[in-house]
Amino acid sequence: MDIDAFVTAHRPVWDRLDHLVKRRSSLTGAEVDELVDLYQRVSTHLSIVRSSSGDAMLTGRLSALVARARSAVTGAHTPAWRELVRFFTVSFPVVAYRARWWWLGSTVAFVAVAWVMGAWVAANPDVQATIGSPDEIAQLVDHDFADYYSEHPAASFASQVWVNNAWVAAQTIIYSVLLGLPIPYVLYTNAANVGVSGGLMASRDKLDIFFGLITPHGLLELTAVFLAAAVGMRLGWTVIDPGPRRRTEALAEQGRAVMSVALGLIVVLFLSGLIEAFVTPSGLPTWARVSIGALAEVAFLLYVIAFGRRALRQNETGDLERAPDVAPTA
């Protein structure tokens, strides 16, 4: 084989492939097709050169070009840090955003039940008497409610709160396998507990202490629980109304998406636990502690809205199986 003639005839193809490989992150659809075609052709050229020529330099050049082209065509496994970034910028926020109406409904229902329960307890001494004796209520209102947040070392308390809240959120999501039917009951019992505590504190004119202690961490903590309830009930509803897809496909996709929320809430509840352990019992003024909780809440909601809305516009579902497993290499 005349190696010089071979190089002259095919150099434009090699140069074009090299050009496409260098621009692989910004290729059009037609250029991607061209890249694949040229990669196959140059692979054939490399085989011919290896079998018909002893030119080590040409063989090395074509081998390197084919290797780079193969990497561009097939991709490389996404680095772990990219998967982590995608999770927190796409998977988790888009599932939360898609469940926003269920999320809002859970929030409104919880607040309504807690408010009605609290007002009922605060206005009815007979109801209070069924909850505890005057001495027991006085102990709760004057000591136990506030002491709960400071009776343990902050670090161990944060861990305890985190594990407990994560378990509550996980249970809420798990109930989705029962069509989400137990979830409203879970919300009701938690709302009733909050309402009873608030009602007892209000009956002794200590509602300011109640909100001063529960608001810093409670905003983010309850928001996380409401989100867990929302995605759990939404998954349960998918069994009833799968939409245009087959029911099994819809359940599988929605189930994997719900796992995104379960994982993401571990981080959210960890932050809530830190606030409950280090901010709620701190010596900061009430306005400062409440402001920290409110800022954490607003930051979380803005994060979900901003990243979730953007991901939804890109037709993302949060389905972990749809996450890209390959990414361009440098």
Side-chain angles (χ1 to χ4, degrees):
M1 181 183 69
D2 187 338
I3 193 63
D4 292 331
F6 185 84
V7 170
T8 299
H10 297 294
R11 183 182 304 234
V13 174
W14 303 341
D15 291 343
R16 176 59 178 170
L17 178 60
D18 182 63
H19 175 72
L20 293 175
V21 169
K22 290 178 179 178
R23 294 184 51 248
R24 59 187 176 274
S25 61
S26 59
L27 298 180
T28 65
E31 287 174 331
V32 170
D33 292 338
E34 183 184 6
L35 171 64
V36 174
D37 177 63
L38 293 181
Y39 160 66
Q40 295 172 336
R41 290 167 62 184
V42 176
S43 296
T44 302
H45 297 165
L46 175 60
S47 298
I48 294 173
V49 170
R50 280 175 172 170
S51 61
S52 305
S53 170
D55 192 328
M57 291 186 61
L58 180 59
T59 301
R61 176 192 171 188
L62 290 181
S63 296
L65 178 58
V66 168
R68 289 190 294 118
R70 182 185 302 112
S71 176
V73 169
T74 62
H77 288 289
T78 309
W81 69 266
R82 286 185 179 175
E83 293 181 353
L84 188 63
V85 169
R86 174 181 167 79
F87 175 80
F88 283 107
T89 58
V90 176
S91 301
F92 174 60
V94 76
V95 177
Y97 186 74
R98 286 166 62 92
R100 60 192 181 279
W101 299 120
W102 290 88
W103 192 3
L104 180 60
S106 301
T107 303
V108 171
F110 183 98
V111 172
V113 170
W115 188 269
V116 171
M117 185 70 70
W120 182 52
V121 171
N124 291 276
D126 292 341
V127 175
Q128 298 170 29
T130 64
I131 297 173
S133 67
D135 290 341
E136 291 173 334
I137 294 176
Q139 178 67 25
L140 170 67
V141 170
D142 296 332
H143 302 286
D144 293 350
F145 189 82
D147 291 346
Y148 168 77
Y149 297 101
S150 56
E151 61 184 358
H152 299 292
S156 62
F157 183 57
S159 300
Q160 176 185 346
V161 169
W162 179 33
V163 171
N164 178 70
N165 291 338
W167 174 237
V168 171
Q171 281 183 307
T172 304
I173 293 176
I174 290 171
Y175 284 139
S176 62
V177 302
L178 301 176
L179 302 184
L181 296 177
I183 295 177
Y185 176 74
V186 173
L187 290 178
Y188 170 79
T189 55
N190 281 275
N193 289 334
V194 172
V196 168
S197 297
L200 293 176
M201 296 291 284
S203 70
R204 302 300 192 273
D205 295 324
K206 293 193 175 183
L207 201 57
D208 57 333
I209 297 177
F210 174 78
F211 283 115
L213 289 173
I214 200 173
T215 302
H217 66 276
L219 286 174
L220 190 59
E221 177 183 303
L222 289 175
T223 297
V225 173
F226 299 155
L227 176 55
V231 297
M233 288 188 291
R234 188 168 184 261
L235 176 58
W237 183 253
T238 301
V239 177
I240 300 172
D241 181 16
R245 298 162 297 175
R246 289 188 301 176
R247 182 170 281 101
T248 54
E249 293 177 353
L251 279 174
E253 179 181 303
Q254 185 64 22
R256 290 189 296 266
V258 166
M259 288 304 300
S260 298
V261 168
L263 295 174
L265 288 183
I266 292 176
V267 177
V268 177
L269 290 171
F270 175 72
L271 297 177
S272 171
L274 290 179
I275 295 174
E276 185 170 358
F278 293 96
V279 176
T280 298
S282 71
L284 293 172
T286 300
W287 67 264
R289 290 185 281 111
V290 172
S291 296
I292 291 173
L295 286 174
E297 172 75 357
V298 170
F300 176 59
L301 293 178
L302 290 178
Y303 152 73
V304 169
I305 292 172
F307 286 97
R309 180 183 295 171
R310 185 181 68 177
L312 186 62
R313 289 173 177 170
Q314 297 171 349
N315 295 320
E316 294 283 355
T317 65
D319 184 349
L320 296 176
E321 193 168 275
R322 289 185 57 183
D325 187 47
V326 296
T329 56

